[in-house]
Amino acid sequence: MDERPIGVFDSGMGGLTVLHECLVTLPHEDFLYLGDAARLPYGPRPLDEIRRFALEIGGYLERQEVKLILVACNAATAAALPDLQRGLCVPVVGVIAPEAHAAVLATRNRRVGLLATEATVASGRYADLVHALDAGVEVFSVPCPKLVPLIEGDDPFGEETAAAVREYAELLKAEGVDTVILGCTHYPLVRPILQRTFGRGITLVFSAEETAREVAETLERKGIENVDSREGVCRFLTTGDPDLFRETGRRFLQLPIEAAERVEVATLEAAAAA
């Protein structure tokens, strides 16, 4: 039995959609979630800057004595996963590989679309992983700079969001894709809008369940899982406003968030420098 928590981080609240699946899959584990709201969004930032942020957070979480780190952010996974895995002493799992695998299995015409942030698209990680699994699959990537601010805003299901989704979806429809990867952990919150826009003929891939299974399998393989008989707890940290995180975060987690604690960006920077 290993009672240390699992560390999870994202640029804001989108990673709570992945945490939800982890809580369902691993109800006996403790979790420590950190949302870097002070530096949200990551998507428009250069990959080197996102990599620095991820290494700071990874170092901080390791100092909190977590036993595994889940990078529940597509941009941070794309920019920093290998560096995190090399630099930290605990196992590190990302969100991109499970989605690439699921898309290759789902596509029938071998034409896969990707909706993601600018940074994730620029990294080319999805195309690399898809082609490693099936070199014959074509990947059509569309950066979506409007979506994250709208989804974290006051009216995520409003007409402005629907209009942005239509704009991005038309680019992929024109390419004849039959499968679309939702390459940002925020996007599942507006999945009904996405599915209505694309229609039932196009499969949407968001593999939070596969990611949660990968975390479970990693814990078992490393022998650091907890006993099934206990009930896990979850602690929430944010570099932004704790009250805003608690209130808005409920939409993403689909569960109550009783409290959130503030962590200063300077504290994260210090952890990386130590």
Side-chain angles (χ1 to χ4, degrees):
M1 182 175 70
D2 190 330
E3 294 186 347
R4 290 178 297 165
I6 296 167
V8 184
F9 77 88
D10 180 38
S11 59
M13 301 177 197
L16 292 169
T17 59
V18 181
L19 177 61
H20 176 89
E21 294 301 328
C22 289
L23 293 172
V24 172
T25 303
L26 298 161
H28 50 283
E29 296 288 353
D30 293 345
F31 290 88
L32 176 61
Y33 181 95
L34 194 155
D36 190 14
R39 299 184 286 196
L40 178 80
Y42 280 9
R45 297 179 182 272
L47 288 169
D48 285 346
E49 187 175 35
I50 299 170
R51 185 177 299 112
R52 175 168 61 83
F53 293 169
L55 291 172
E56 290 170 1
I57 296 171
Y60 174 82
L61 289 175
E62 189 170 55
R63 287 177 174 271
Q64 303 305 303
E65 299 185 349
V66 300
K67 61 184 177 183
L68 178 145
I69 292 176
L70 169 56
V71 188
C73 173
N74 300 72
T77 299
L81 185 61
D83 297 281
L84 288 164
Q85 291 172 332
R86 282 191 294 264
L88 300 178
C89 297
V90 297
V92 185
V93 173
V95 291
I96 290 180
E99 290 177 342
H101 183 255
V104 169
L105 292 178
T107 184
R108 302 172 303 282
N109 67 2
R110 302 171 91 192
R111 298 175 74 82
V112 172
L114 169 67
L115 297 177
T117 65
E118 303 101 301
T120 300
V121 169
S123 75
R125 287 291 294 153
Y126 274 102
D128 290 344
L129 288 166
V130 166
H131 293 150
L133 295 165
D134 185 342
V137 174
E138 293 186 83
V139 179
F140 303 91
S141 302
V142 174
C144 308
K146 299 177 184 177
L147 287 185
V148 169
L150 287 169
I151 293 169
E152 289 218 356
D154 295 332
D155 190 15
F157 308 108
E159 177 52 36
E160 193 173 356
T161 303
V165 167
R166 285 194 296 270
E167 174 188 339
Y168 300 136
E170 286 305 315
L171 298 173
L172 293 182
K173 286 181 178 180
E175 299 293 350
V177 302
D178 72 349
T179 302
V180 174
I181 299 170
L182 306 184
C184 174
T185 54
H186 285 71
Y187 298 172
L189 191 71
V190 294
R191 184 166 186 158
I193 297 175
L194 287 155
Q195 194 71 74
R196 175 175 172 80
T197 303
F198 280 106
R200 290 294 183 190
I202 293 179
T203 301
L204 301 184
V205 170
F206 172 67
S207 59
E209 292 181 16
E210 288 87 347
T211 301
R213 280 197 292 270
E214 183 174 340
V215 170
E217 290 167 1
T218 302
L219 293 177
E220 183 178 3
R221 190 169 61 250
K222 300 289 185 180
I224 53 175
E225 70 271 37
N226 224 321
V227 292
D228 292 343
S229 58
R230 70 188 298 275
E231 182 177 351
V233 298
C234 200
R235 180 181 167 208
F236 298 94
L237 309 176
T238 178
T239 56
D241 180 346
D243 291 333
L244 179 62
F245 179 94
R246 189 179 69 254
E247 291 302 318
T248 307
R250 292 172 178 169
R251 292 202 313 243
F252 291 84
L253 188 61
Q254 301 175 58
L255 292 168
I257 297 176
E258 300 300 333
E261 304 166 47
R262 175 76 179 268
V263 176
E264 299 296 334
V265 170
T267 303
L268 304 181
E269 294 170 341

